[in-house]
Amino acid sequence: MIDLALHEDGKAIPLRVIAERENISEQYLEQLFANLRKSGLVKSVRGAHGGYLLNKAPEDITAGDIFRVLEGPVSPVNCVQEDYECNQSEECATHELWNILSNQIEEVLDSHTLEDLKNKAEKIKSN
């Protein structure tokens, strides 16, 4: 996603190009981008000049958005996930701790945008 944000200039970027630049398997990227496309974070363009584009501005995509699409819930343990019914949470000494940790992780991920990460990458490359 950072690569797309760095190099997108209105033209779709083929996964092959991203794979080469980032030294990542193209097959692995295909799996990731299938999920990113389904979530609406990227869009695909077919044809000779095909590839992927961001579907939103980088400042409108958070690290949390990307993480949740690619990794699932941020929770460190299942018992604090929204859809999980824990019948021992009232007697559990650590349940509140896991809730606090889960909320803190989400807060950090959601406070950083793809634009922030792009800017950081540009700064690193310029050094």
Side-chain angles (χ1 to χ4, degrees):
M1 292 292 285
I2 295 171
D3 188 273
L4 274 182
L6 284 169
H7 298 100
E8 185 180 276
D9 59 356
K11 298 176 186 169
I13 301 173
L15 286 184
R16 170 187 46 75
V17 172
I18 298 170
E20 289 171 8
R21 277 196 294 246
E22 299 297 326
N23 197 26
I24 300 173
S25 157
E26 189 174 345
Q27 292 76 22
Y28 179 61
L29 279 180
E30 286 172 359
Q31 294 171 10
L32 297 178
F33 271 76
N35 289 331
L36 292 167
R37 186 181 48 75
K38 286 177 195 169
S39 74
L41 292 178
V42 299
K43 58 185 171 187
S44 61
V45 176
R46 294 180 179 238
H49 301 287
Y52 286 88
L53 297 159
L54 293 175
N55 204 27
K56 299 178 180 179
E59 60 269 16
D60 295 331
I61 300 172
T62 68
D65 295 333
I66 299 164
F67 186 92
R68 284 184 286 276
V69 166
L70 298 178
E71 300 294 333
V74 176
S75 306
V77 291
N78 290 339
C79 69
V80 294
Q81 291 178 12
E82 242 178 71
D83 297 337
Y84 190 86
E85 289 189 34
C86 179
N87 55 2
Q88 295 184 347
S89 63
E90 298 295 321
E91 301 88 33
C92 180
T94 60
H95 187 78
E96 184 178 348
L97 174 66
W98 295 129
N99 259 328
I100 292 168
L101 180 59
S102 181
N103 291 336
Q104 291 292 310
I105 293 169
E106 292 235 6
E107 189 176 306
V108 169
L109 288 171
D110 289 337
S111 69
H112 291 80
T113 67
L114 184 54
E115 182 71 16
D116 298 331
L117 297 171
K118 172 188 159 188
N119 292 337
K120 175 101 175 165
E122 288 174 335
K123 188 175 181 179
I124 290 169
K125 286 184 179 191
S126 70
N127 289 338

